[in-house]
Amino acid sequence: MRIFAKLAVVVTAASVAIGTLVAGSAQAAPAAPDATPFIVGGQNASQGQFPWMVQLSIGCDGALVASRVVLTAAHCVSRTGSNTSITATLGKVDLQGSGGRSIKSTYVYRSPQYASTGAQDWALIELASAPSSIPFLKYAAQGETSLYSGTFTIMGWGATVEGGGQSRYLKYATVPFVSDSTCQQSYGSDLQPAYEVCAGYAAGGVDTCQGDSGGPMVKKNSAGDWVEVGIVSWGQGCAEPKFYGVYGEVQSFSTNITNRISPSGTIAR
């Protein structure tokens, strides 16, 4: 049974933490740095720093990965099918500021494996129109495991403290990779290493929180491009000691994502 899915109710948010693991590795999580308790443990993003970032009216986040497709978490949506009730906000870091775009959804595709396994926590939301001048975020290809080490960047408009309300500003922070074996000491059999990766600090203090669900955990590749390696999924509370953030390990199911995105940049029915 999962500990806590970091999903916002009404206008609070969903929780996330990242860290990928290499099977059989036993690296220990480093101690947490001194940090102000934002994202939790982050700072304000600047306009245009993460241009593909999307805030969703369902209390989750996501990332634009095709002209009209947002990648988010399966636990943020209820089913596959037509859906015009979700509003995606793009192109702004201050939710109360001017500018940006608000676009309604038309269709949702939910990972068919999620309901039975609780893993492969991903979903796609199709937008009614393509936002102009917003780049897409690359996502890790199947088998692209070289990115799952070192540190990752997490971000979102979620709570800045456990149990808090949604942040007005997009926050971001850096968290280290945590091995499967270390993460399983906290979560036991609830962790599914084939499809999930962990990140965070043994001492806590830096993590995603309620309202960050579905948002991307990213890392730069050798070409200097941001790549989505994880999707904020679940964890015990927010930034609690020895309870790391658990993310959907994108490379493990990225072929399924690609197969659902049509050449026109919409969701394949």
Side-chain angles (χ1 to χ4, degrees), residues 49-64:
Q49 186 173 3
F50 307 111
W52 22 257
M53 191 64 185
V54 181
Q55 196 273 334
L56 300 168
S57 60
I58 50 177
C60 287
D61 295 331
L64 189 71

Side-chain angles (χ1 to χ4, degrees), residues 20 22 141-149 249 251:
T20 309
V22 177
Q142 199 92 20
E144 190 178 2
T145 58
S146 62
L147 294 173
Y148 292 85
S149 63
E249 189 172 347
Q251 71 81 23

Side-chain angles (χ1 to χ4, degrees), residues 160-177:
T160 59
V161 294
E162 186 171 332
Q166 182 180 53
S167 171
R168 168 178 171 176
Y169 300 99
L170 178 64
K171 306 281 187 179
Y172 75 100
T174 300
V175 287
F177 164 86

Side-chain angles (χ1 to χ4, degrees), residues 2 4-7 14-17 73 75 114 118 121 196 208 212-215 231-235 246-248:
R2 293 308 172 97
F4 180 68
K6 299 186 178 181
L7 175 64
S15 178
V16 175
H75 73 261
Y114 179 72
D121 188 7
E196 295 174 331
T208 49
D212 292 320
S213 282
I231 298 171
V232 179
S233 186
W234 63 281
V246 182
Y247 300 79

